[in-house]
Amino acid sequence: MADADMLRSLALSLEGASEAPHFDRAAFKVRRIFATLAADGLTANFKFAPDEQQFKCEMLPHAFSPVQNAWGRQGWTTAVLSELEEADLRDALETAWRHALPGRRRT
């Protein structure tokens, strides 16, 4: 079962990643934000391409759901950390991180 400490550790292990405050959340970014952690540490948001979002939500519907606004239509996806195994969390972070790397076009 994943938790906030695991997310923070995995996110910061990605090349070039840093943590900074973002409103009431902790944001993880390279060139731009690829994931945020809720203040209560129970959920996180990830920036996926829309097709990646759909796949994650279909494969693990108890864990992933689109953010319920225009951000969700752009691929931002909420995950309930306690519903993820470490491998699922690592994959979500790496997927989102790749979109934030310098030289990548926005999706």
Side-chain angles (χ1 to χ4, degrees):
M1 171 173 57
D3 62 18
D5 290 337
M6 183 184 293
L7 179 135
R8 182 171 276 112
S9 176
L10 291 172
L12 293 174
S13 74
L14 297 169
E15 185 178 340
S18 65
E19 181 178 353
H22 183 70
F23 300 99
D24 64 337
R25 304 176 76 84
F28 300 91
K29 63 183 184 172
V30 182
R31 183 171 58 116
R32 59 183 175 267
I33 295 172
F34 63 89
T36 63
L37 175 64
D40 63 11
L42 300 178
T43 62
N45 291 340
F46 300 93
K47 175 58 170 109
F48 298 140
D51 62 324
E52 294 164 339
Q53 178 190 65
Q54 181 179 354
F55 179 76
K56 294 284 189 195
C57 293
E58 288 175 1
M59 294 304 295
L60 294 170
H62 56 286
F64 290 104
S65 61
V67 171
Q68 295 297 309
N69 57 30
W71 291 101
R73 291 188 295 279
Q74 295 175 26
W76 281 97
T77 306
T78 299
V80 177
L81 294 176
S82 63
E83 295 292 331
L84 295 175
E85 297 297 326
E86 181 176 351
D88 300 318
L89 177 57
R90 182 183 309 275
D91 181 69
L93 283 165
E94 289 175 355
T95 299
W97 169 77
R98 281 191 292 276
H99 292 293
L101 291 173
R104 291 292 307 241
R105 288 178 27 145
R106 288 193 134 164
T107 55

